[in-house]
Amino acid sequence: MKLTDISSDINEWFSGKGPLSDIVISSRIRLARNLADRKFVSHCSDQEKTEILDILKPVITSLDLGDNLFYFSVADAPEIERHFLVERNLISRHHAFGKGPRGACIASKESFSAMINEEDHLRIQVIKSGLQLADCAKQINHIDDLIEQKVDYAFSSRLGYLTACPTNLGTGIRVSVMLHLPALKMANQTEKFLNAARDMNLAIRGLFGEGTDAAGDFYQLSNQVSLGISEEQIVSTFENKIIPEIVDYEIAARRYLLSENSDNLDDRISRATAVLKNARLISSHEALHLLSHLRLGINMHETLGASTPAIEQLCNLKDNTAAAEKISVRTINRLFMLTLPAHLQLNYGKPLDPTHRDALRAQIIRTALSQ
Amino acid sequence: MKLTDISSDINEWFSGKGPLSDIVISSRIRLARNLADRKFVSHCSDQEKTEILDILKPVITSLDLGDNLFYFSVADAPEIERHFLVERNLISRHHAFGKGPRGACIASKESFSAMINEEDHLRIQVIKSGLQLADCAKQINHIDDLIEQKVDYAFSSRLGYLTACPTNLGTGIRVSVMLHLPALKMANQTEKFLNAARDMNLAIRGLFGEGTDAAGDFYQLSNQVSLGISEEQIVSTFENKIIPEIVDYEIAARRYLLSENSDNLDDRISRATAVLKNARLISSHEALHLLSHLRLGINMHETLGASTPAIEQLCNLKDNTAAAEKISVRTINRLFMLTLPAHLQLNYGKPLDPTHRDALRAQIIRTALSQ
């Protein structure tokens, strides 16, 4: 597989097909594991890292998951490809720009990926569209069992799985849910949600890139500690309590905007549509911001039956990159992903400076949305 | 005359018919005069102000200028009408919101107006479209002579005309030129122009309202001192040296944008057009800012033959408020003026809160520019 085989479309978890996927973009579970009787990665020489790779690579690439698996030597990959894998949420920024022998293994549908020699010897993740944490847990536990049949993990009967960072100790699990919360933002209620998440000791990040401050109103919520809590507890609390509550907040904010502040809502959606259809230069940050308004508009039309003038106009647009189908959440999700810097450059075939990226990004969006 | 007779269209000086009026909006000369043997306004009681009004009002309103003259008792006018006269540049903010008996006299075409009991007993002004300072000087001197035939001005053979503020002493003249300099702004060269103006001891203000920081890229340049310099010198230096130089700067900046930065120029014009055609709420400040881009685009098309994609698209728009004429600088000038807060409310017939003004403003612009 070449990365350009997957770079021209969105991946499975961004397809918008899963439960509650108008608000819950995706569910992800990641496990951190280390081999028994070996130093943690940060203490390994390159030789020792190579030995770890030599043990884990054949085990991972030969897993029978019903999907083709591809191995990438992250250490040898061009910078643009490493950026791309980060944008795709297949590897971490730390892994992409770290040092020494390290690799990644990716399922062709991208619902599974593994990092070898990131912070831990092995990190594996399963991502699915919408709220499907129990399914993610079932699948990743199965994969974890398959791997454990072939290698010895570092495990303590008192502490559980041993990990490089104490926050991962125990189950080694990190549960993350990516949410799209544009109405909370527009209704100035984000603070309420952020405070509630902090009270529950959850970590909050943006979806696209670090330090982007939830660009596009995407928030990634995850547990911060795994020691002393069972995997089932964490997954169940997220799936049955925390996330449904936040979804309810967002829906309430959408209803509020529609009933109490529809002029403002309509102004935002109308402007966003107009600018995206007409800009000739657009930064990644602004594109995410404006596409978020379009995603909100289409979702409000589909799930709440909203039909303000701006939403009506938006929903009558055609997606000209898909044989003039009516514009859909899928169109917008696709634009979110394809206009990220590394996606742009990988699909263009060579590196571009920021101004040329801004011009190409604007052109791709104009083409998709032009009537 | 009622103010609503003039409030639904632009005035003569904003018509865009005068010389160089793509860049020089208008030329204005104002004279400050005081009656002999009377206290300055700031020292007058209401009774004394009424006496001054009783002397000057009949003299001014009976002037034979070939245009109908109307008198407004500023002290008695509703707030919205006083705001309107300020937006129209017919009276000063100081006069509109000052205290005590005071009035204004306005020619129906608005090329002449007079304020009684502003800072001085009498201030008269002549405004013309484009760069026509010599013509303004000729006309205002004629008017000044007509008035002086009927009243005694406070005059010192050593100091010239006596005025309340020493900066007006001597000729009592203030020469102002209103400029539209969007390309200097877009090319980040405004600072150069501002420094040059300061070096020449010129005052710089925005056109629409004070404290608006040159909203819409409009700058009003005027002399700060009139003592010791002849009227002819001031007028001639402005008309033949200072203003032509600034006009050349702006033209050079326009050519630079077209040849070196046309992607950015096109992006700005394209976005401005899109937002103005689609916004459902728009503040006065943003409207001025975006209309300025449209004015630049149309002017560059007409005077420099510019035809980038965004400019072509802009110039093919119709002005739907004028029997679907092709969009013109006049259309844009009209929108600049008619979307100012007091204009909006006077034409609507009653006061509106800011949100309703923003909605009405957006609607007026959408209607004018919709295809």
Side-chain angles (χ1 to χ4, degrees):
Chain A
M1 184 177 80
K2 288 180 298 183
L3 293 185
T4 46
D5 293 343
I6 59 171
S7 63
S8 62
D9 206 351
I10 43 174
N11 41 24
E12 187 74 17
W13 61 258
F14 210 0
S15 65
K17 291 178 183 161
L20 295 177
S21 66
D22 54 332
I23 295 170
V24 184
I25 300 293
S26 63
S27 300
R28 166 175 170 267
I29 295 186
R30 179 271 280 159
L31 297 179
R33 298 288 183 259
N34 289 275
L35 297 177
D37 306 321
R38 294 206 167 250
K39 296 173 194 163
F40 285 132
V41 176
S42 62
H43 292 72
C44 285
S45 65
D46 277 4
Q47 173 59 34
E48 289 166 324
K49 287 184 190 173
T50 302
E51 289 168 20
I52 294 164
L53 264 181
D54 288 345
I55 296 168
L56 287 171
K57 181 180 159 182
V59 174
I60 305 297
T61 52
S62 63
L63 284 170
D64 180 11
L65 304 179
D67 191 3
N68 291 327
L69 286 168
F70 299 90
Y71 180 78
F72 292 90
S73 173
V74 176
D76 303 321
E79 189 179 326
I80 207 88
E81 296 191 359
R82 286 179 281 147
H83 266 295
F84 171 80
L85 293 172
V86 173
E87 286 180 357
R88 224 55 193 178
N89 272 267
L90 292 169
I91 67 172
S92 67
R93 191 169 292 268
H94 177 84
H95 200 47
F97 303 104
K99 283 189 178 157
R102 62 200 192 282
C105 187
I106 293 157
S108 65
K109 287 182 184 159
E110 299 173 61
S111 59
F112 169 77
S113 69
M115 294 185 285
I116 303 174
N117 288 338
E118 201 242 25
E119 187 179 286
D120 295 295
H121 297 157
L122 180 64
R123 288 192 167 189
I124 57 177
Q125 71 171 20
V126 166
I127 310 189
K128 290 180 180 290
S129 170
L131 188 57
Q132 299 199 60
L133 282 172
D135 283 354
C136 288
K138 193 173 154 192
Q139 189 173 343
I140 204 159
N141 285 334
H142 173 64
I143 295 170
D144 191 38
D145 291 344
L146 292 178
I147 299 169
E148 207 162 5
Q149 288 168 13
K150 305 204 175 164
V151 302
D152 274 343
Y153 282 151
F155 184 82
S156 144
S157 56
R158 189 170 61 87
L159 295 170
Y161 290 100
L162 304 181
T163 53
C165 176
T167 55
N168 292 314
L169 206 57
T171 56
I173 197 173
R174 168 79 41 104
V175 170
S176 306
V177 175
M178 297 173 190
L179 299 159
H180 187 226
L181 306 175
L184 280 176
K185 178 73 172 300
M186 217 180 266
N188 294 319
Q189 294 173 10
T190 313
E191 211 46 46
K192 196 168 75 180
F193 145 71
L194 292 176
N195 286 336
R198 280 188 208 106
D199 287 348
M200 290 183 284
N201 202 20
L202 302 176
I204 305 157
R205 287 192 207 148
L207 168 54
F208 293 113
E210 283 174 50
T212 56
D213 194 25
D217 309 316
F218 290 105
Y219 295 86
Q220 177 177 309
L221 245 71
S222 53
N223 66 309
Q224 304 214 63
V225 176
S226 62
L227 186 65
I229 315 168
S230 78
E231 189 182 299
E232 291 73 22
Q233 266 179 306
I234 296 174
V235 168
S236 166
T237 310
F238 260 75
E239 183 138 293
N240 302 314
K241 185 169 178 302
I242 296 174
I243 303 302
E245 272 180 24
I246 297 171
V247 167
D248 284 349
Y249 274 150
E250 170 69 16
I251 292 173
R254 292 179 183 195
R255 290 190 192 280
Y256 163 79
L257 289 175
L258 206 53
S259 64
E260 304 298 324
N261 209 357
S262 72
D263 278 357
N264 186 28
L265 172 74
D266 234 30
D267 183 53
R268 302 274 202 109
I269 292 175
S270 187
R271 282 166 177 258
T273 311
V275 170
L276 289 169
K277 282 174 65 180
N278 289 281
R280 297 187 167 263
L281 295 172
I282 192 163
S283 71
S284 179
H285 192 273
E286 188 188 6
L288 290 169
H289 177 68
L290 298 179
L291 286 167
S292 173
H293 292 2
L294 268 55
R295 194 176 192 280
L296 173 66
I298 298 171
N299 269 331
M300 285 179 74
H301 183 72
E302 290 179 355
T303 61
L304 302 179
S307 64
T308 66
I311 290 178
E312 283 295 323
Q313 196 182 26
L314 168 63
C315 292
N316 283 329
L317 279 184
K318 299 281 184 290
D319 175 358
N320 279 336
T321 51
E325 281 176 12
K326 210 167 162 190
I327 198 171
S328 63
V329 170
R330 190 186 157 82
T331 307
I332 305 301
N333 289 355
R334 201 167 164 274
L335 288 174
F336 271 120
M337 202 123 219
L338 266 54
T339 59
L340 293 171
H343 274 75
L344 272 185
Q345 296 174 86
L346 201 67
N347 288 328
Y348 187 70
K350 61 180 186 185
L352 291 166
D353 65 39
T355 304
H356 283 97
R357 291 208 294 271
D358 289 354
L360 179 60
R361 181 179 295 113
Q363 190 201 317
I364 288 171
I365 296 172
R366 279 205 316 279
T367 304
L369 303 183
S370 66
Q371 272 175 314
Chain B
M1 184 178 80
K2 289 180 297 182
L3 293 186
T4 45
D5 294 342
I6 58 170
S7 63
S8 61
D9 206 350
I10 44 173
N11 41 25
E12 188 73 17
W13 61 259
F14 210 179
S15 66
K17 291 178 185 160
L20 294 177
S21 66
D22 54 332
I23 295 171
V24 184
I25 301 293
S26 63
S27 301
R28 168 175 169 267
I29 296 186
R30 179 270 280 158
L31 297 179
R33 298 288 184 258
N34 288 275
L35 297 176
D37 305 322
R38 293 205 169 251
K39 296 174 195 162
F40 285 133
V41 175
S42 61
H43 291 74
C44 284
S45 66
D46 278 3
Q47 174 59 34
E48 289 165 324
K49 288 184 189 172
T50 302
E51 289 168 19
I52 294 164
L53 264 180
D54 289 344
I55 295 168
L56 287 171
K57 179 180 162 184
V59 173
I60 304 298
T61 53
S62 64
L63 285 168
D64 180 10
L65 304 180
D67 191 6
N68 291 328
L69 287 167
F70 299 89
Y71 180 78
F72 292 89
S73 173
V74 176
D76 303 321
E79 189 179 326
I80 205 89
E81 296 192 358
R82 286 179 280 146
H83 266 295
F84 171 80
L85 293 172
V86 174
E87 287 179 355
R88 227 49 195 179
N89 271 268
L90 292 168
I91 68 172
S92 66
R93 192 169 290 268
H94 177 85
H95 200 48
F97 304 104
K99 282 187 179 160
R102 64 200 190 284
C105 187
I106 294 157
S108 65
K109 287 182 185 159
E110 299 173 60
S111 59
F112 169 78
S113 69
M115 295 185 283
I116 304 173
N117 288 338
E118 201 243 22
E119 187 179 285
D120 295 295
H121 297 156
L122 179 64
R123 289 191 167 189
I124 57 176
Q125 72 171 19
V126 167
I127 311 190
K128 290 181 182 288
S129 170
L131 188 57
Q132 299 199 59
L133 281 173
D135 282 355
C136 288
K138 192 173 154 192
Q139 189 173 344
I140 204 160
N141 285 335
H142 172 65
I143 296 170
D144 191 38
D145 290 345
L146 292 177
I147 300 168
E148 206 162 6
Q149 287 169 13
K150 304 200 178 170
V151 300
D152 275 342
Y153 281 151
F155 183 83
S156 146
S157 55
R158 189 170 61 87
L159 295 170
Y161 290 100
L162 304 180
T163 53
C165 176
T167 56
N168 292 314
L169 206 57
T171 55
I173 197 174
R174 167 80 42 105
V175 170
S176 307
V177 175
M178 296 173 192
L179 299 159
H180 187 226
L181 306 174
L184 280 176
K185 178 75 171 296
M186 218 179 266
N188 294 318
Q189 294 173 10
T190 313
E191 211 46 47
K192 196 168 76 176
F193 145 72
L194 292 175
N195 287 336
R198 280 188 209 105
D199 286 347
M200 291 183 282
N201 203 20
L202 302 176
I204 304 156
R205 289 193 203 145
L207 169 53
F208 293 113
E210 283 174 51
T212 56
D213 194 25
D217 309 315
F218 290 105
Y219 296 86
Q220 178 177 308
L221 245 70
S222 53
N223 66 310
Q224 303 215 65
V225 176
S226 63
L227 187 63
I229 316 168
S230 78
E231 191 182 298
E232 291 74 22
Q233 267 179 302
I234 296 174
V235 168
S236 167
T237 309
F238 260 75
E239 183 139 292
N240 302 314
K241 186 168 180 298
I242 296 173
I243 302 303
E245 273 179 22
I246 297 171
V247 168
D248 285 347
Y249 275 150
E250 171 68 15
I251 292 172
R254 291 179 184 194
R255 291 191 192 279
Y256 163 80
L257 289 176
L258 208 52
S259 63
E260 305 297 325
N261 208 356
S262 72
D263 278 359
N264 187 29
L265 172 75
D266 234 32
D267 183 53
R268 302 274 202 109
I269 292 174
S270 187
R271 282 166 179 259
T273 310
V275 170
L276 289 168
K277 283 174 66 180
N278 288 281
R280 298 187 167 264
L281 295 172
I282 193 163
S283 71
S284 180
H285 192 275
E286 187 186 6
L288 291 169
H289 176 68
L290 297 180
L291 287 167
S292 173
H293 291 2
L294 268 54
R295 195 177 190 278
L296 173 66
I298 298 171
N299 270 331
M300 285 180 75
H301 182 72
E302 289 180 356
T303 61
L304 301 180
S307 64
T308 66
I311 291 178
E312 283 296 321
Q313 196 182 27
L314 168 62
C315 292
N316 283 330
L317 280 182
K318 299 280 182 291
D319 175 0
N320 278 336
T321 52
E325 279 176 14
K326 209 167 164 191
I327 198 172
S328 62
V329 170
R330 191 187 156 81
T331 307
I332 306 300
N333 289 354
R334 200 168 165 275
L335 288 174
F336 271 120
M337 201 123 220
L338 265 55
T339 59
L340 293 170
H343 274 76
L344 272 184
Q345 296 173 87
L346 202 66
N347 288 328
Y348 187 70
K350 61 180 184 184
L352 291 165
D353 65 40
T355 303
H356 283 96
R357 291 209 294 271
D358 289 353
L360 179 59
R361 180 179 295 114
Q363 191 201 318
I364 289 171
I365 296 173
R366 279 205 315 278
T367 303
L369 302 183
S370 66
Q371 273 174 315

